[in-house]
């Protein structure tokens, strides 16, 4: 069974999902919407990478939340005064928390996007419309994982040669660090040139060129696209009607009504779609294994 069910869907489904959740996260400042997006993004990111993403995302959000009250002094509820004489307001703290949560959610969704939307999916979606831009985007998204793998490879090679970065004086460690950076940059630039030459030799960007992977919209893809359309329609109507409005200045004020609960339910349904699809697929897979074992036992 694949590690993630949603990654096996059509590239258009994957791209539309991440476009919707990123727009939702960046355009809505309602704390419930931001909380839903952040929790779903962290859960899906951990599901994909099996890494403790919280360890580097939450400190980033906390830093943004702490820095905002130091520079933003708007708000009617004054808690105290800073040593500089500027007021520390409750509204600036809450706005900083919302901004930090938004930043963490966006970073987590982008981390998921780099795993789900591979280079061949980007080329399939935008290779004919904007071949140069799609190739650049695919190479950019794959740069960080490749850079990390190459960094581990070079570090292991230098340790085997007795040139560990953690050994020696400051000058020697600085020289080895600069040498390591030079090796990584040279390797990355050489790989970029080879990729460009390889794509050119294969006829990339020429009219009539077919895709490497023939993705097709299946019935399950159409169902999920319809589901995304329904959720997006509900959220768009809620946003246009002011159901999801929320203000932090001069005082905290926002919409709280049954329609707001309905819109937040649509937000949760949209953001949790990959997790729900993966859960349903795993349950179906487990039932099929039980049925198969039952037949073999009989």
């Amino acid at each position: 069974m694949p590690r993630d069910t949603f990654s096996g869907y059509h590239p258009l489904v994957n791209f539309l999902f991440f476009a919707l959740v990123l727009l939702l996260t960046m355009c809505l400042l309602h704390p419930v919407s931001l909380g839903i997006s952040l929790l779903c993004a962290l859960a899906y990111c951990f599901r994909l990478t099996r890494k403790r993403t919280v360890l580097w995302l939450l400190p980033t959000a906390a830093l943004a939340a702490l820095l905002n009250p130091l520079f933003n002094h708007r708000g009617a509820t004054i808690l105290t005064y800073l040593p500089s004489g500027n007021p520390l307001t409750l509204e600036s703290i809450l706005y900083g928390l919302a901004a930090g949560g938004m930043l963490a959610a966006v970073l987590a969704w982008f981390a998921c996007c780099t795993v789900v939307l591979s280079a061949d999916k980007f080329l399939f979606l935008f290779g004919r419309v904007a071949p140069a831009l799609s190739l650049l985007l695919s190479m950019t998204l794959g740069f960080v994982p490749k850079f990390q793998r190459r960094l581990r490879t070079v570090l292991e090679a230098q340790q085997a040669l007795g040139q560990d970065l953690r050994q020696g004086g400051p000058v020697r460690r600085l020289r080895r660090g600069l040498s390591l950076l030079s090796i990584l940059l040279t390797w990355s630039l050489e790989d970029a040139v080879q990729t460009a030459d390889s794509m050119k030799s294969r006829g990339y960007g020429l009219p009539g060129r077919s895709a490497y992977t023939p993705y097709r919209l299946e019935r399950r893809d159409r169902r999920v696209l319809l589901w995304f359309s329904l959720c997006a329609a509900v959220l768009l109507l809620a946003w246009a009607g002011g159901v999801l409005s929320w203000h932090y200045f001069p005082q905290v004020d926002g919409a709280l009504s049954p329609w707001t609960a309905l819109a937040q339910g649509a937000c949760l349904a949209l953001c949790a779609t990959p997790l729900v699809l993966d859960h349903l697929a795993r349950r179906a897979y487990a039932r099929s294994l039980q049925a198969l074992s039952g037949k073999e036992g009989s």
Side-chain angles (χ1 to χ4, degrees):
M1 181 178 181
R3 186 173 182 178
D4 175 54
T5 304
F6 187 67
S7 301
Y9 279 71
H10 194 273
L12 180 61
V13 177
N14 301 143
F15 177 78
L16 182 61
F17 169 76
F18 287 111
L20 288 176
V21 294
L22 286 172
L23 285 174
L24 171 71
T25 305
M26 292 185 290
C27 295
L28 297 181
L29 287 177
H30 200 286
V32 179
S33 302
L34 291 177
I36 290 173
S37 179
L38 178 60
L39 291 177
C40 292
L42 292 177
Y44 190 43
C45 190
F46 181 77
R47 175 73 189 83
L48 289 174
T49 61
R50 292 298 183 187
K51 296 179 180 178
R52 297 181 179 270
T53 312
V54 181
L55 295 179
W56 64 273
L57 282 178
L58 292 187
T60 304
L63 180 62
L66 291 175
L67 290 178
N68 183 76
L70 299 179
F71 299 96
N72 188 354
H73 310 292
R74 300 168 59 192
T77 308
I78 299 177
L79 300 178
T80 184
Y81 287 89
L82 300 174
S84 60
N86 294 316
L88 177 64
T89 63
L90 175 63
E91 289 78 11
S92 64
I93 295 176
L94 295 178
Y95 182 78
L97 291 174
M102 178 191 298
L103 177 62
V106 169
L107 291 176
W109 283 126
F110 268 113
C112 298
C113 183
T114 56
V115 178
V116 175
L117 280 175
S118 56
D120 60 326
K121 290 184 178 181
F122 258 103
L123 296 179
F124 176 81
L125 289 174
F126 306 106
R128 298 181 181 179
V129 180
L133 179 61
S134 61
L135 180 60
L136 179 62
L137 286 176
S138 63
M139 294 174 63
T140 303
L141 291 176
F143 175 77
V144 175
K146 286 184 179 179
F147 197 86
Q148 293 177 346
R149 292 195 297 268
R150 290 167 180 171
L151 176 62
R152 289 193 294 267
T153 302
V154 176
L155 285 176
E156 291 175 357
Q158 288 190 341
Q159 291 177 0
L161 294 175
Q163 298 180 0
D164 195 348
L165 290 176
R166 295 168 294 184
Q167 298 177 355
V171 177
R172 178 174 296 181
R173 294 166 67 180
L174 178 61
R175 289 178 179 177
R176 291 176 179 176
L178 292 176
S179 176
L180 174 63
L181 181 62
S182 175
I183 293 172
L184 291 175
L185 291 178
T186 304
W187 195 354
S188 300
L189 290 175
E190 182 181 1
D191 180 71
V193 172
Q194 291 178 355
T195 301
D197 292 340
S198 176
M199 297 301 290
K200 184 178 180 180
S201 64
R202 296 174 185 179
Y204 178 73
L206 296 178
R209 178 183 176 272
S210 59
Y212 174 73
T213 305
Y215 295 101
R216 294 182 180 180
L217 273 173
E218 300 177 359
R219 181 179 298 178
R220 65 170 189 173
D221 300 317
R222 296 188 182 94
R223 290 176 179 174
V224 176
L225 286 176
L226 179 60
W227 173 251
F228 288 165
S229 301
L230 292 175
C231 294
V234 172
L235 291 172
L236 182 61
L237 291 175
W239 173 78
V243 176
L244 292 174
S245 62
W246 195 269
H247 306 284
Y248 292 90
F249 304 107
Q251 290 182 338
V252 177
D253 184 27
L256 293 173
S257 65
W259 296 107
T260 304
L262 177 62
Q264 299 297 350
C267 176
L268 177 61
L270 174 64
C271 294
T273 297
L275 298 173
V276 173
L277 291 176
D278 189 69
H279 177 68
L280 294 177
R282 290 184 177 276
R283 286 186 59 183
Y285 183 71
R287 286 196 300 265
S288 63
L289 287 180
Q290 289 178 359
L292 183 60
S293 61
K295 290 180 181 180
E296 291 179 352
S298 60

